[in-house]
Amino acid sequence: CAAGPGGLELVTRADLAQLGELSPLESTLVETAYRLAAAIDLGEEPRALPALTKELRAAVEQLSAGRRRVPPPAPEDDFGDLDEPV
């Protein structure tokens, strides 16, 4: 990793810390991402690197997708003035 030993885990932690408050599912995914990044940093099994990288990418993408929610439309009060005389 260009960031040095343990660099991917440090970068992953910094990136995911920007998410702020987490739901229980997000907490699990974040911990999974940390462990995957640490395993990639260790590089003990080079043949596992593609699979670890794929799983890390999937965990981060799922976290990111969960945060890409469309805001609800503004409530329109079409009937709020029905009781007023015209």
Side-chain angles (χ1 to χ4, degrees):
C1 184
L8 182 60
E9 183 181 1
L10 291 174
V11 170
T12 301
R13 286 182 179 276
D15 288 347
L16 296 180
Q18 295 178 21
L19 293 176
E21 190 173 335
L22 302 171
S23 71
L25 176 60
E26 288 175 326
S27 295
T28 301
L29 286 171
V30 165
E31 287 301 320
T32 300
Y34 293 162
R35 290 180 184 255
L36 289 166
I40 291 169
D41 281 336
L42 289 175
E44 293 176 355
E45 184 60 50
R47 288 182 277 157
L49 184 60
L52 291 171
T53 303
K54 182 178 180 180
E55 289 299 319
L56 176 59
R57 187 180 323 121
V60 172
E61 176 58 32
Q62 187 161 357
L63 283 162
S64 178
R67 294 295 174 119
R68 284 190 229 129
R69 295 195 174 98
V70 177
E76 295 183 21
D77 189 6
D78 292 339
F79 302 107
D81 59 350
L82 286 179
D83 61 344
E84 295 176 13
V86 183

